[in-house]
Amino acid sequence: MTTDETTGADTKGERTRRRILLAARKTFATVGYERATIRAIAAAADADKSSVIKYFGNKQQLFREAVHWDIPIDELTAVDTGITAEQQIRAMLEGWAKDPISPMSVLLRASMTSEEAAEMLREHVTANSVDAIAKHMGHLPDARLRAGVYSAMMMGLASGRYLLRFPDLAEADLEDVIRVAAPVIRTLIDPDPKQAKTRR
């Protein structure tokens, strides 16, 4: 096989893989993790079951890849914590949660009905959000607690606005949501020294 042929085969394989991932997100978002089947996902991707198994192994691994998303805390962290809070809320609500089949949305939806999906969400948020935020608050004795509350609030904003669709939150302008939520987030990541908890 020539180099050109190998490249062509790899490209075709990557296209098939992306098609399966997209079909998987749509299927998981529609029927949930428990009811989704490899056969149904393969059919939606116009692929055969063996291709899904070839690229992903099993449903659990396919789900893990389909719902993985990066939480670029470091990229969204500025010297001004007010800007940081706004940037993080905006990035989550504009990019990670709004699309009903984005990895974050699919995982949030699935976690409401599947303990396995809920565990994946806990692992992902802890490793990619709590750990990262706590690192930036290392000077505070309750940094991990604050990071945990921060992550819960961000997940609550996302699920309340796009999944549960609480009317006042879902119908509000994004800028108004940021205006109201950013100061609260800022008090978590950059508290007044007089109010910050200290060790005794």
Side-chain angles (χ1 to χ4, degrees):
M1 182 179 287
T2 66
T3 301
D4 288 343
E5 288 174 334
T6 302
T7 302
D10 288 344
T11 300
K12 182 178 179 181
E14 282 303 305
R15 286 200 300 268
T16 300
R17 198 174 187 282
R18 288 194 297 270
R19 200 166 66 244
I20 292 170
L21 277 175
L22 179 59
R25 288 191 194 107
K26 289 180 178 178
T27 303
F28 288 129
T30 302
V31 304
Y33 176 75
E34 302 295 346
R35 294 175 59 193
T37 65
I38 288 180
R39 186 180 301 278
I41 291 168
D46 193 23
D48 50 49
K49 185 177 177 180
S50 62
S51 293
V52 178
I53 295 172
K54 171 186 174 182
Y55 289 113
F56 301 99
N58 55 41
K59 186 173 82 167
Q60 183 183 54
Q61 287 304 117
L62 173 57
F63 183 69
R64 282 187 177 277
E65 290 205 42
V67 301
H68 178 81
W69 85 96
D70 293 321
I71 305 177
I73 297 296
D74 291 338
E75 295 176 20
L76 298 171
T77 299
V79 174
D80 185 332
T81 52
I83 294 175
T84 292
E86 290 185 7
Q87 288 182 161
Q88 290 174 0
I89 295 170
R90 186 183 302 280
M92 181 189 66
L93 294 181
E94 283 189 337
W96 307 338
K98 186 175 182 179
D99 182 354
I101 61 166
S102 72
M104 179 186 183
S105 292
V106 174
L107 183 53
L108 278 172
R109 290 174 188 275
S111 68
M112 294 180 179
T113 57
S114 166
E115 178 54 33
E116 189 168 358
E119 179 58 26
M120 288 185 195
L121 180 61
R122 285 191 290 269
E123 290 175 359
H124 188 68
V125 170
T126 298
N128 293 277
S129 179
V130 175
D131 290 351
I133 287 292
K135 179 184 70 177
H136 287 284
M137 298 189 295
H139 62 291
L140 297 171
D142 57 351
R144 289 199 64 84
L145 174 59
R146 287 178 176 275
V149 173
Y150 160 91
S151 297
M153 290 180 66
M154 295 290 266
M155 290 296 102
L157 272 176
S159 60
R161 184 168 171 85
Y162 295 119
L163 301 185
L164 300 172
R165 296 196 60 79
F166 296 135
D168 297 293
L169 180 58
E171 296 168 11
D173 184 82
L174 175 62
E175 297 306 317
D176 286 330
V177 175
I178 293 172
R179 174 178 56 80
V180 172
V184 181
I185 296 298
R186 180 174 184 172
T187 62
L188 283 171
I189 61 180
D190 184 28
D192 184 326
K194 295 178 181 179
Q195 299 176 356
K197 181 180 177 181
T198 57
R199 293 187 187 276
R200 295 188 182 280

